[in-house]
Amino acid sequence: MLILAYCACTTGGAIYIGDSKNGLRKDYSITGVGINRIFGAINGISIIATMYGNAVIPEIQATLAPPVTGKMFKGLLLCYAIVISTYFSVGISGYWAFGNQAQGSVLQNFMVDGKPLGAKVVSFDD
């Protein structure tokens, strides 16, 4: 549930910032040359799939009753469907909102020079 909430909030924030006047200038050009672009994309996809998707697999496997083969395959499909829908939505909305200058963590892009790009933070001291 926390992953789904994180992805929904981050995607919503990126869309809000990308669509507002507070957003930074965006450059969508792809860096790198030729085959390095392809390997970079494959590397990024594999990191997302293995780091976030495979952590869920032991939990799914522990809850399955025998026979495992069919249920495990369905669990893997469900796991990767969740990974694709959540983390790719964050990646795509972050790239749309911040361009190729997006940081490794999309949340780092929400602050520039110590100031939030989104809605103003209200303090009780005001």
Side-chain angles (χ1 to χ4, degrees), residues 28-91:
Y28 295 116
S29 64
I30 300 174
T31 58
V33 180
I35 196 73
N36 290 336
R37 291 181 183 179
I38 295 170
F39 282 128
I42 292 171
N43 184 36
I45 291 169
S46 67
I47 289 170
I48 289 171
T50 56
M51 293 303 293
Y52 299 110
N54 290 342
V56 178
I57 292 172
E59 293 179 29
I60 293 171
Q61 187 176 10
T63 60
L64 295 175
V68 198
T69 54
K71 292 181 181 182
M72 186 63 182
F73 183 70
K74 289 178 185 175
L76 284 172
L77 289 179
L78 176 65
C79 174
Y80 285 114
I82 291 170
V83 168
I84 289 170
S85 63
T86 56
Y87 286 100
F88 282 166
S89 68
V90 170

Side-chain angles (χ1 to χ4, degrees), residues 86-118:
T86 56
Y87 286 100
F88 282 166
S89 68
V90 170
I92 290 169
S93 64
Y95 185 74
W96 173 76
F98 305 108
N100 64 4
Q101 299 301 313
Q103 301 294 317
S105 173
V106 176
L107 294 178
Q108 292 175 341
N109 296 301
F110 287 16
M111 300 282 286
V112 174
D113 297 329
K115 297 178 185 174
L117 290 175

Side-chain angles (χ1 to χ4, degrees), residues 111 116 118-126:
M111 300 282 286
K120 279 197 157 186
V121 178
V122 178
S123 92
F124 293 108
D125 297 333
D126 294 337

